Amino acid sequence: MKELSAIAVDVTPPDRFREYLGTQAKRLTRERSIIVDEVFASHEHFDAEQLVARLSQRTDGNRVSRSTVYRTLAELEKAGLLRKVARSNDREIYEHDYGYPQHDHLICKKCGELTEFQNPELNEILQQVAAQYGFRMEGHRLEVSGICAACSRPPSRGHRKLDMI
Amino acid sequence: MKELSAIAVDVTPPDRFREYLGTQAKRLTRERSIIVDEVFASHEHFDAEQLVARLSQRTDGNRVSRSTVYRTLAELEKAGLLRKVARSNDREIYEHDYGYPQHDHLICKKCGELTEFQNPELNEILQQVAAQYGFRMEGHRLEVSGICAACSRPPSRGHRKLDMI
DNA sequence: ATGAGTGCAAAAAGTTTGCACCGCT
DNA sequence: AGCGGTGCAAACTTTTTGCACTCAT
């Protein structure tokens, strides 16, 4: 995935999660730690199934069940650590929502690549529109679809993650 | 739903659908006609289940099965008559994509209301961004989430379609 | 101890599909 | 005739949930 650079963060994701859980009288269990570590090991977009695949097949003591993955993803979302960015192949796609700048995505219809981009004007415009409708904006989700640069040069058959039939 | 005004259309949806079907060696059956008529009877956002409910309970000769509704929605999408605008309550929400201006939506988290808005600058910005990344933009989906004007005045308990628990 | 959390299997919910029959062209 | 379309029920996918057991605090 093409990504923007990270922002300096004072508190690490695990810390922030613990913090959030504390306010909810919830516990930071071994399973939840494993999940946070795995999720924040790299700034990749992912879906629940991919995470389940990685965590439920571990043979050591770090295995986590499918149910717990789903339940924890929901907590991480509430904690502001993750957010759903898009939906692809009938699955919700998650990304880090902590320690990274606000941004939107270009989604290639051919290879599925998600490219992040930032545009300050965009938010200004949305603020204006919301104000105009008396709408209290809390967030947005913008997916620009089309064909990415790599896939636009067909001769070399550059970039086809989606060849899976 | 709050909506924008219609654009003058030369060809009616049924005509356009027939046209499309022709190019695909497909047929405009009685069932498909019933569905197009129902779908374009009003400019409302809807999901498959709502359409199924309306069409599968008819007692006269105009009943259409669930399968056919799903299959035809897919055709209407390919024909450029409908598009998925959002996902609400785990269902895809459709709207007319023919005879109506391009626009985006404000989605109220409380009542679920979809409000359409138009902003020319938005598209310009996306064009620029796409160009910058060598991305061939084909479309976009923008959902602005927050609280609508009606739901922002809680005392009167104005507007709560989602009170369904 | 005590109530939150986990894993499992079963259940939901939305959507898709195999198949036998139907009906345009 | 031939092929596309329909309806039904069963299958599938992703996500959620009931329950008995486990464990963090």
PDB file of all heavy atoms in Angstrom, chain C residues 10-23:
ATOM      1  P    DA C  10     -22.655 -26.941  16.243  1.00  0.00           P
ATOM      2  OP1  DA C  10     -23.141 -28.304  16.545  1.00  0.00           O
ATOM      3  OP2  DA C  10     -21.908 -26.652  14.993  1.00  0.00           O
ATOM      4  O5'  DA C  10     -23.874 -25.923  16.360  1.00  0.00           O
ATOM      5  C5'  DA C  10     -24.329 -25.525  17.650  1.00  0.00           C
ATOM      6  C4'  DA C  10     -25.128 -24.245  17.514  1.00  0.00           C
ATOM      7  O4'  DA C  10     -24.235 -23.114  17.347  1.00  0.00           O
ATOM      8  C3'  DA C  10     -26.052 -24.245  16.298  1.00  0.00           C
ATOM      9  O3'  DA C  10     -27.298 -23.684  16.684  1.00  0.00           O
ATOM     10  C2'  DA C  10     -25.299 -23.385  15.289  1.00  0.00           C
ATOM     11  C1'  DA C  10     -24.631 -22.362  16.207  1.00  0.00           C
ATOM     12  N9   DA C  10     -23.443 -21.702  15.643  1.00  0.00           N
ATOM     13  C8   DA C  10     -22.433 -22.269  14.911  1.00  0.00           C
ATOM     14  N7   DA C  10     -21.499 -21.411  14.537  1.00  0.00           N
ATOM     15  C5   DA C  10     -21.936 -20.206  15.064  1.00  0.00           C
ATOM     16  C6   DA C  10     -21.390 -18.918  15.026  1.00  0.00           C
ATOM     17  N6   DA C  10     -20.251 -18.595  14.411  1.00  0.00           N
ATOM     18  N1   DA C  10     -22.075 -17.923  15.659  1.00  0.00           N
ATOM     19  C2   DA C  10     -23.225 -18.242  16.283  1.00  0.00           C
ATOM     20  N3   DA C  10     -23.838 -19.419  16.392  1.00  0.00           N
ATOM     21  C4   DA C  10     -23.132 -20.374  15.754  1.00  0.00           C
ATOM     22  P    DA C  11     -28.412 -23.362  15.620  1.00  0.00           P
ATOM     23  OP1  DA C  11     -29.711 -23.627  16.256  1.00  0.00           O
ATOM     24  OP2  DA C  11     -28.032 -23.990  14.339  1.00  0.00           O
ATOM     25  O5'  DA C  11     -28.286 -21.786  15.477  1.00  0.00           O
ATOM     26  C5'  DA C  11     -28.381 -21.006  16.660  1.00  0.00           C
ATOM     27  C4'  DA C  11     -28.413 -19.530  16.305  1.00  0.00           C
ATOM     28  O4'  DA C  11     -27.137 -19.129  15.779  1.00  0.00           O
ATOM     29  C3'  DA C  11     -29.448 -19.159  15.246  1.00  0.00           C
ATOM     30  O3'  DA C  11     -29.998 -17.923  15.642  1.00  0.00           O
ATOM     31  C2'  DA C  11     -28.615 -19.035  13.971  1.00  0.00           C
ATOM     32  C1'  DA C  11     -27.298 -18.502  14.514  1.00  0.00           C
ATOM     33  N9   DA C  11     -26.086 -18.793  13.726  1.00  0.00           N
ATOM     34  C8   DA C  11     -25.694 -19.995  13.196  1.00  0.00           C
ATOM     35  N7   DA C  11     -24.526 -19.942  12.564  1.00  0.00           N
ATOM     36  C5   DA C  11     -24.138 -18.624  12.698  1.00  0.00           C
ATOM     37  C6   DA C  11     -22.993 -17.915  12.264  1.00  0.00           C
ATOM     38  N6   DA C  11     -21.999 -18.480  11.565  1.00  0.00           N
ATOM     39  N1   DA C  11     -22.907 -16.612  12.559  1.00  0.00           N
ATOM     40  C2   DA C  11     -23.911 -16.044  13.259  1.00  0.00           C
ATOM     41  N3   DA C  11     -25.033 -16.605  13.732  1.00  0.00           N
ATOM     42  C4   DA C  11     -25.081 -17.904  13.413  1.00  0.00           C
ATOM     43  P    DA C  12     -31.474 -17.508  15.208  1.00  0.00           P
ATOM     44  OP1  DA C  12     -32.276 -17.192  16.398  1.00  0.00           O
ATOM     45  OP2  DA C  12     -31.962 -18.495  14.204  1.00  0.00           O
ATOM     46  O5'  DA C  12     -31.151 -16.164  14.434  1.00  0.00           O
ATOM     47  C5'  DA C  12     -29.882 -16.042  13.860  1.00  0.00           C
ATOM     48  C4'  DA C  12     -29.511 -14.604  13.769  1.00  0.00           C
ATOM     49  O4'  DA C  12     -28.171 -14.584  13.294  1.00  0.00           O
ATOM     50  C3'  DA C  12     -30.358 -13.878  12.725  1.00  0.00           C
ATOM     51  O3'  DA C  12     -30.429 -12.513  13.061  1.00  0.00           O
ATOM     52  C2'  DA C  12     -29.590 -14.149  11.437  1.00  0.00           C
ATOM     53  C1'  DA C  12     -28.137 -14.281  11.905  1.00  0.00           C
ATOM     54  N9   DA C  12     -27.388 -15.356  11.251  1.00  0.00           N
ATOM     55  C8   DA C  12     -27.734 -16.662  11.121  1.00  0.00           C
ATOM     56  N7   DA C  12     -26.835 -17.398  10.487  1.00  0.00           N
ATOM     57  C5   DA C  12     -25.828 -16.499  10.205  1.00  0.00           C
ATOM     58  C6   DA C  12     -24.582 -16.628   9.555  1.00  0.00           C
ATOM     59  N6   DA C  12     -24.121 -17.775   9.067  1.00  0.00           N
ATOM     60  N1   DA C  12     -23.820 -15.539   9.419  1.00  0.00           N
ATOM     61  C2   DA C  12     -24.266 -14.376   9.927  1.00  0.00           C
ATOM     62  N3   DA C  12     -25.414 -14.115  10.562  1.00  0.00           N
ATOM     63  C4   DA C  12     -26.151 -15.235  10.667  1.00  0.00           C
ATOM     64  P    DA C  13     -31.494 -11.621  12.270  1.00  0.00           P
ATOM     65  OP1  DA C  13     -31.699 -10.427  13.126  1.00  0.00           O
ATOM     66  OP2  DA C  13     -32.638 -12.461  11.850  1.00  0.00           O
ATOM     67  O5'  DA C  13     -30.698 -11.174  10.961  1.00  0.00           O
ATOM     68  C5'  DA C  13     -29.477 -10.480  11.110  1.00  0.00           C
ATOM     69  C4'  DA C  13     -28.962 -10.096   9.744  1.00  0.00           C
ATOM     70  O4'  DA C  13     -28.107 -11.162   9.255  1.00  0.00           O
ATOM     71  C3'  DA C  13     -30.068  -9.922   8.706  1.00  0.00           C
ATOM     72  O3'  DA C  13     -29.796  -8.755   7.955  1.00  0.00           O
ATOM     73  C2'  DA C  13     -29.979 -11.162   7.845  1.00  0.00           C
ATOM     74  C1'  DA C  13     -28.509 -11.513   7.944  1.00  0.00           C
ATOM     75  N9   DA C  13     -28.216 -12.931   7.785  1.00  0.00           N
ATOM     76  C8   DA C  13     -29.010 -13.991   8.099  1.00  0.00           C
ATOM     77  N7   DA C  13     -28.476 -15.160   7.832  1.00  0.00           N
ATOM     78  C5   DA C  13     -27.241 -14.827   7.312  1.00  0.00           C
ATOM     79  C6   DA C  13     -26.179 -15.616   6.827  1.00  0.00           C
ATOM     80  N6   DA C  13     -26.208 -16.942   6.797  1.00  0.00           N
ATOM     81  N1   DA C  13     -25.086 -14.980   6.368  1.00  0.00           N
ATOM     82  C2   DA C  13     -25.058 -13.632   6.403  1.00  0.00           C
ATOM     83  N3   DA C  13     -25.987 -12.782   6.832  1.00  0.00           N
ATOM     84  C4   DA C  13     -27.064 -13.453   7.276  1.00  0.00           C
ATOM     85  P    DG C  14     -30.788  -8.321   6.799  1.00  0.00           P
ATOM     86  OP1  DG C  14     -31.029  -6.889   6.987  1.00  0.00           O
ATOM     87  OP2  DG C  14     -31.899  -9.283   6.699  1.00  0.00           O
ATOM     88  O5'  DG C  14     -29.846  -8.498   5.528  1.00  0.00           O
ATOM     89  C5'  DG C  14     -28.572  -7.861   5.566  1.00  0.00           C
ATOM     90  C4'  DG C  14     -27.754  -8.302   4.393  1.00  0.00           C
ATOM     91  O4'  DG C  14     -27.430  -9.697   4.506  1.00  0.00           O
ATOM     92  C3'  DG C  14     -28.450  -8.129   3.038  1.00  0.00           C
ATOM     93  O3'  DG C  14     -27.496  -7.570   2.140  1.00  0.00           O
ATOM     94  C2'  DG C  14     -28.840  -9.543   2.639  1.00  0.00           C
ATOM     95  C1'  DG C  14     -27.767 -10.382   3.315  1.00  0.00           C
ATOM     96  N9   DG C  14     -28.201 -11.722   3.697  1.00  0.00           N
ATOM     97  C8   DG C  14     -29.368 -12.069   4.312  1.00  0.00           C
ATOM     98  N7   DG C  14     -29.492 -13.353   4.499  1.00  0.00           N
ATOM     99  C5   DG C  14     -28.328 -13.884   3.976  1.00  0.00           C
ATOM    100  C6   DG C  14     -27.887 -15.225   3.888  1.00  0.00           C
ATOM    101  O6   DG C  14     -28.463 -16.243   4.259  1.00  0.00           O
ATOM    102  N1   DG C  14     -26.642 -15.327   3.275  1.00  0.00           N
ATOM    103  C2   DG C  14     -25.905 -14.258   2.822  1.00  0.00           C
ATOM    104  N2   DG C  14     -24.735 -14.530   2.253  1.00  0.00           N
ATOM    105  N3   DG C  14     -26.309 -13.001   2.896  1.00  0.00           N
ATOM    106  C4   DG C  14     -27.520 -12.887   3.481  1.00  0.00           C
ATOM    107  P    DT C  15     -27.915  -7.174   0.678  1.00  0.00           P
ATOM    108  OP1  DT C  15     -27.054  -6.056   0.280  1.00  0.00           O
ATOM    109  OP2  DT C  15     -29.381  -7.060   0.597  1.00  0.00           O
ATOM    110  O5'  DT C  15     -27.434  -8.457  -0.143  1.00  0.00           O
ATOM    111  C5'  DT C  15     -26.064  -8.802  -0.040  1.00  0.00           C
ATOM    112  C4'  DT C  15     -25.799 -10.103  -0.733  1.00  0.00           C
ATOM    113  O4'  DT C  15     -26.465 -11.183  -0.055  1.00  0.00           O
ATOM    114  C3'  DT C  15     -26.269 -10.159  -2.196  1.00  0.00           C
ATOM    115  O3'  DT C  15     -25.100 -10.352  -2.988  1.00  0.00           O
ATOM    116  C2'  DT C  15     -27.224 -11.342  -2.241  1.00  0.00           C
ATOM    117  C1'  DT C  15     -26.824 -12.152  -1.015  1.00  0.00           C
ATOM    118  N1   DT C  15     -27.870 -12.994  -0.393  1.00  0.00           N
ATOM    119  C2   DT C  15     -27.620 -14.344  -0.285  1.00  0.00           C
ATOM    120  O2   DT C  15     -26.595 -14.862  -0.666  1.00  0.00           O
ATOM    121  N3   DT C  15     -28.624 -15.070   0.297  1.00  0.00           N
ATOM    122  C4   DT C  15     -29.825 -14.596   0.767  1.00  0.00           C
ATOM    123  O4   DT C  15     -30.641 -15.363   1.280  1.00  0.00           O
ATOM    124  C5   DT C  15     -30.028 -13.175   0.631  1.00  0.00           C
ATOM    125  C7   DT C  15     -31.297 -12.559   1.107  1.00  0.00           C
ATOM    126  C6   DT C  15     -29.045 -12.451   0.062  1.00  0.00           C
ATOM    127  P    DT C  16     -25.189 -10.625  -4.540  1.00  0.00           P
ATOM    128  OP1  DT C  16     -23.973 -10.067  -5.160  1.00  0.00           O
ATOM    129  OP2  DT C  16     -26.528 -10.226  -5.014  1.00  0.00           O
ATOM    130  O5'  DT C  16     -25.074 -12.216  -4.625  1.00  0.00           O
ATOM    131  C5'  DT C  16     -24.020 -12.833  -3.929  1.00  0.00           C
ATOM    132  C4'  DT C  16     -24.033 -14.324  -4.219  1.00  0.00           C
ATOM    133  O4'  DT C  16     -25.130 -14.950  -3.532  1.00  0.00           O
ATOM    134  C3'  DT C  16     -24.181 -14.698  -5.695  1.00  0.00           C
ATOM    135  O3'  DT C  16     -23.225 -15.716  -5.949  1.00  0.00           O
ATOM    136  C2'  DT C  16     -25.613 -15.198  -5.798  1.00  0.00           C
ATOM    137  C1'  DT C  16     -25.823 -15.799  -4.417  1.00  0.00           C
ATOM    138  N1   DT C  16     -27.218 -15.828  -3.919  1.00  0.00           N
ATOM    139  C2   DT C  16     -27.698 -17.010  -3.412  1.00  0.00           C
ATOM    140  O2   DT C  16     -27.052 -18.038  -3.385  1.00  0.00           O
ATOM    141  N3   DT C  16     -28.974 -16.942  -2.910  1.00  0.00           N
ATOM    142  C4   DT C  16     -29.801 -15.835  -2.877  1.00  0.00           C
ATOM    143  O4   DT C  16     -30.913 -15.913  -2.389  1.00  0.00           O
ATOM    144  C5   DT C  16     -29.241 -14.635  -3.441  1.00  0.00           C
ATOM    145  C7   DT C  16     -30.054 -13.400  -3.477  1.00  0.00           C
ATOM    146  C6   DT C  16     -27.992 -14.680  -3.932  1.00  0.00           C
ATOM    147  P    DT C  17     -22.990 -16.278  -7.418  1.00  0.00           P
ATOM    148  OP1  DT C  17     -21.533 -16.426  -7.546  1.00  0.00           O
ATOM    149  OP2  DT C  17     -23.756 -15.464  -8.369  1.00  0.00           O
ATOM    150  O5'  DT C  17     -23.633 -17.745  -7.378  1.00  0.00           O
ATOM    151  C5'  DT C  17     -23.574 -18.479  -6.174  1.00  0.00           C
ATOM    152  C4'  DT C  17     -24.275 -19.820  -6.369  1.00  0.00           C
ATOM    153  O4'  DT C  17     -25.618 -19.750  -5.851  1.00  0.00           O
ATOM    154  C3'  DT C  17     -24.424 -20.277  -7.826  1.00  0.00           C
ATOM    155  O3'  DT C  17     -24.328 -21.692  -7.851  1.00  0.00           O
ATOM    156  C2'  DT C  17     -25.832 -19.835  -8.183  1.00  0.00           C
ATOM    157  C1'  DT C  17     -26.541 -20.087  -6.858  1.00  0.00           C
ATOM    158  N1   DT C  17     -27.748 -19.274  -6.612  1.00  0.00           N
ATOM    159  C2   DT C  17     -28.765 -19.849  -5.881  1.00  0.00           C
ATOM    160  O2   DT C  17     -28.721 -20.982  -5.456  1.00  0.00           O
ATOM    161  N3   DT C  17     -29.838 -19.020  -5.657  1.00  0.00           N
ATOM    162  C4   DT C  17     -29.997 -17.730  -6.091  1.00  0.00           C
ATOM    163  O4   DT C  17     -31.006 -17.103  -5.813  1.00  0.00           O
ATOM    164  C5   DT C  17     -28.888 -17.201  -6.870  1.00  0.00           C
ATOM    165  C7   DT C  17     -28.968 -15.811  -7.398  1.00  0.00           C
ATOM    166  C6   DT C  17     -27.835 -17.995  -7.087  1.00  0.00           C
ATOM    167  P    DG C  18     -23.930 -22.472  -9.172  1.00  0.00           P
ATOM    168  OP1  DG C  18     -22.488 -22.765  -9.057  1.00  0.00           O
ATOM    169  OP2  DG C  18     -24.456 -21.735 -10.346  1.00  0.00           O
ATOM    170  O5'  DG C  18     -24.742 -23.842  -9.029  1.00  0.00           O
ATOM    171  C5'  DG C  18     -24.855 -24.492  -7.756  1.00  0.00           C
ATOM    172  C4'  DG C  18     -25.960 -25.535  -7.809  1.00  0.00           C
ATOM    173  O4'  DG C  18     -27.230 -24.909  -7.515  1.00  0.00           O
ATOM    174  C3'  DG C  18     -26.141 -26.205  -9.160  1.00  0.00           C
ATOM    175  O3'  DG C  18     -26.609 -27.527  -8.953  1.00  0.00           O
ATOM    176  C2'  DG C  18     -27.188 -25.323  -9.844  1.00  0.00           C
ATOM    177  C1'  DG C  18     -28.061 -24.903  -8.661  1.00  0.00           C
ATOM    178  N9   DG C  18     -28.637 -23.566  -8.759  1.00  0.00           N
ATOM    179  C8   DG C  18     -28.029 -22.435  -9.266  1.00  0.00           C
ATOM    180  N7   DG C  18     -28.784 -21.365  -9.173  1.00  0.00           N
ATOM    181  C5   DG C  18     -29.944 -21.813  -8.560  1.00  0.00           C
ATOM    182  C6   DG C  18     -31.130 -21.102  -8.197  1.00  0.00           C
ATOM    183  O6   DG C  18     -31.380 -19.907  -8.323  1.00  0.00           O
ATOM    184  N1   DG C  18     -32.073 -21.949  -7.617  1.00  0.00           N
ATOM    185  C2   DG C  18     -31.906 -23.295  -7.417  1.00  0.00           C
ATOM    186  N2   DG C  18     -32.920 -23.939  -6.857  1.00  0.00           N
ATOM    187  N3   DG C  18     -30.812 -23.960  -7.747  1.00  0.00           N
ATOM    188  C4   DG C  18     -29.877 -23.164  -8.319  1.00  0.00           C
ATOM    189  P    DC C  19     -26.819 -28.527 -10.135  1.00  0.00           P
ATOM    190  OP1  DC C  19     -26.498 -29.866  -9.600  1.00  0.00           O
ATOM    191  OP2  DC C  19     -26.146 -28.028 -11.369  1.00  0.00           O
ATOM    192  O5'  DC C  19     -28.393 -28.435 -10.322  1.00  0.00           O
ATOM    193  C5'  DC C  19     -29.238 -28.468  -9.170  1.00  0.00           C
ATOM    194  C4'  DC C  19     -30.689 -28.374  -9.598  1.00  0.00           C
ATOM    195  O4'  DC C  19     -31.131 -26.990  -9.565  1.00  0.00           O
ATOM    196  C3'  DC C  19     -30.965 -28.868 -11.019  1.00  0.00           C
ATOM    197  O3'  DC C  19     -32.195 -29.560 -11.028  1.00  0.00           O
ATOM    198  C2'  DC C  19     -31.072 -27.579 -11.818  1.00  0.00           C
ATOM    199  C1'  DC C  19     -31.745 -26.669 -10.797  1.00  0.00           C
ATOM    200  N1   DC C  19     -31.561 -25.222 -11.039  1.00  0.00           N
ATOM    201  C2   DC C  19     -32.574 -24.351 -10.623  1.00  0.00           C
ATOM    202  O2   DC C  19     -33.565 -24.806 -10.050  1.00  0.00           O
ATOM    203  N3   DC C  19     -32.430 -23.021 -10.854  1.00  0.00           N
ATOM    204  C4   DC C  19     -31.336 -22.564 -11.468  1.00  0.00           C
ATOM    205  N4   DC C  19     -31.231 -21.248 -11.668  1.00  0.00           N
ATOM    206  C5   DC C  19     -30.296 -23.443 -11.892  1.00  0.00           C
ATOM    207  C6   DC C  19     -30.451 -24.755 -11.660  1.00  0.00           C
ATOM    208  P    DA C  20     -32.418 -30.714 -12.157  1.00  0.00           P
ATOM    209  OP1  DA C  20     -32.158 -32.006 -11.494  1.00  0.00           O
ATOM    210  OP2  DA C  20     -31.721 -30.358 -13.427  1.00  0.00           O
ATOM    211  O5'  DA C  20     -33.989 -30.575 -12.372  1.00  0.00           O
ATOM    212  C5'  DA C  20     -34.840 -30.472 -11.236  1.00  0.00           C
ATOM    213  C4'  DA C  20     -36.053 -29.626 -11.608  1.00  0.00           C
ATOM    214  O4'  DA C  20     -35.659 -28.233 -11.710  1.00  0.00           O
ATOM    215  C3'  DA C  20     -36.660 -30.006 -12.957  1.00  0.00           C
ATOM    216  O3'  DA C  20     -38.084 -30.011 -12.849  1.00  0.00           O
ATOM    217  C2'  DA C  20     -36.158 -28.921 -13.894  1.00  0.00           C
ATOM    218  C1'  DA C  20     -36.076 -27.715 -12.962  1.00  0.00           C
ATOM    219  N9   DA C  20     -35.118 -26.701 -13.384  1.00  0.00           N
ATOM    220  C8   DA C  20     -33.883 -26.889 -13.954  1.00  0.00           C
ATOM    221  N7   DA C  20     -33.238 -25.775 -14.238  1.00  0.00           N
ATOM    222  C5   DA C  20     -34.105 -24.782 -13.819  1.00  0.00           C
ATOM    223  C6   DA C  20     -34.019 -23.373 -13.839  1.00  0.00           C
ATOM    224  N6   DA C  20     -32.964 -22.707 -14.319  1.00  0.00           N
ATOM    225  N1   DA C  20     -35.067 -22.678 -13.352  1.00  0.00           N
ATOM    226  C2   DA C  20     -36.124 -23.345 -12.867  1.00  0.00           C
ATOM    227  N3   DA C  20     -36.324 -24.667 -12.792  1.00  0.00           N
ATOM    228  C4   DA C  20     -35.267 -25.334 -13.288  1.00  0.00           C
ATOM    229  P    DC C  21     -38.976 -30.400 -14.107  1.00  0.00           P
ATOM    230  OP1  DC C  21     -40.000 -31.337 -13.601  1.00  0.00           O
ATOM    231  OP2  DC C  21     -38.103 -30.754 -15.246  1.00  0.00           O
ATOM    232  O5'  DC C  21     -39.702 -29.021 -14.434  1.00  0.00           O
ATOM    233  C5'  DC C  21     -40.301 -28.285 -13.366  1.00  0.00           C
ATOM    234  C4'  DC C  21     -40.594 -26.864 -13.839  1.00  0.00           C
ATOM    235  O4'  DC C  21     -39.355 -26.163 -14.090  1.00  0.00           O
ATOM    236  C3'  DC C  21     -41.396 -26.796 -15.146  1.00  0.00           C
ATOM    237  O3'  DC C  21     -42.413 -25.820 -14.974  1.00  0.00           O
ATOM    238  C2'  DC C  21     -40.363 -26.360 -16.180  1.00  0.00           C
ATOM    239  C1'  DC C  21     -39.465 -25.471 -15.327  1.00  0.00           C
ATOM    240  N1   DC C  21     -38.098 -25.246 -15.857  1.00  0.00           N
ATOM    241  C2   DC C  21     -37.623 -23.938 -15.946  1.00  0.00           C
ATOM    242  O2   DC C  21     -38.354 -23.020 -15.573  1.00  0.00           O
ATOM    243  N3   DC C  21     -36.380 -23.727 -16.457  1.00  0.00           N
ATOM    244  C4   DC C  21     -35.629 -24.756 -16.845  1.00  0.00           C
ATOM    245  N4   DC C  21     -34.416 -24.480 -17.332  1.00  0.00           N
ATOM    246  C5   DC C  21     -36.087 -26.110 -16.756  1.00  0.00           C
ATOM    247  C6   DC C  21     -37.316 -26.300 -16.261  1.00  0.00           C
ATOM    248  P    DC C  22     -43.457 -25.526 -16.108  1.00  0.00           P
ATOM    249  OP1  DC C  22     -44.771 -25.364 -15.468  1.00  0.00           O
ATOM    250  OP2  DC C  22     -43.244 -26.506 -17.201  1.00  0.00           O
ATOM    251  O5'  DC C  22     -43.000 -24.087 -16.629  1.00  0.00           O
ATOM    252  C5'  DC C  22     -42.835 -23.036 -15.681  1.00  0.00           C
ATOM    253  C4'  DC C  22     -42.528 -21.745 -16.425  1.00  0.00           C
ATOM    254  O4'  DC C  22     -41.159 -21.744 -16.876  1.00  0.00           O
ATOM    255  C3'  DC C  22     -43.386 -21.522 -17.673  1.00  0.00           C
ATOM    256  O3'  DC C  22     -43.782 -20.163 -17.666  1.00  0.00           O
ATOM    257  C2'  DC C  22     -42.457 -21.872 -18.826  1.00  0.00           C
ATOM    258  C1'  DC C  22     -41.099 -21.452 -18.258  1.00  0.00           C
ATOM    259  N1   DC C  22     -39.917 -22.166 -18.795  1.00  0.00           N
ATOM    260  C2   DC C  22     -38.810 -21.417 -19.207  1.00  0.00           C
ATOM    261  O2   DC C  22     -38.858 -20.194 -19.159  1.00  0.00           O
ATOM    262  N3   DC C  22     -37.706 -22.070 -19.659  1.00  0.00           N
ATOM    263  C4   DC C  22     -37.682 -23.395 -19.698  1.00  0.00           C
ATOM    264  N4   DC C  22     -36.571 -23.988 -20.143  1.00  0.00           N
ATOM    265  C5   DC C  22     -38.792 -24.185 -19.287  1.00  0.00           C
ATOM    266  C6   DC C  22     -39.883 -23.535 -18.838  1.00  0.00           C
ATOM    267  P    DG C  23     -44.763 -19.625 -18.745  1.00  0.00           P
ATOM    268  OP1  DG C  23     -45.627 -18.626 -18.076  1.00  0.00           O
ATOM    269  OP2  DG C  23     -45.320 -20.774 -19.496  1.00  0.00           O
ATOM    270  O5'  DG C  23     -43.786 -18.836 -19.721  1.00  0.00           O
ATOM    271  C5'  DG C  23     -42.958 -17.792 -19.205  1.00  0.00           C
ATOM    272  C4'  DG C  23     -42.221 -17.157 -20.368  1.00  0.00           C
ATOM    273  O4'  DG C  23     -41.142 -18.021 -20.776  1.00  0.00           O
ATOM    274  C3'  DG C  23     -43.081 -16.978 -21.602  1.00  0.00           C
ATOM    275  O3'  DG C  23     -42.542 -15.889 -22.325  1.00  0.00           O
ATOM    276  C2'  DG C  23     -42.823 -18.230 -22.391  1.00  0.00           C
ATOM    277  C1'  DG C  23     -41.335 -18.366 -22.146  1.00  0.00           C
ATOM    278  N9   DG C  23     -40.752 -19.672 -22.328  1.00  0.00           N
ATOM    279  C8   DG C  23     -41.340 -20.907 -22.189  1.00  0.00           C
ATOM    280  N7   DG C  23     -40.513 -21.891 -22.407  1.00  0.00           N
ATOM    281  C5   DG C  23     -39.308 -21.273 -22.706  1.00  0.00           C
ATOM    282  C6   DG C  23     -38.052 -21.818 -23.027  1.00  0.00           C
ATOM    283  O6   DG C  23     -37.740 -23.002 -23.113  1.00  0.00           O
ATOM    284  N1   DG C  23     -37.112 -20.833 -23.278  1.00  0.00           N
ATOM    285  C2   DG C  23     -37.344 -19.476 -23.197  1.00  0.00           C
ATOM    286  N2   DG C  23     -36.335 -18.672 -23.466  1.00  0.00           N
ATOM    287  N3   DG C  23     -38.525 -18.949 -22.890  1.00  0.00           N
ATOM    288  C4   DG C  23     -39.444 -19.905 -22.659  1.00  0.00           C
TER     289       DG C  23
END
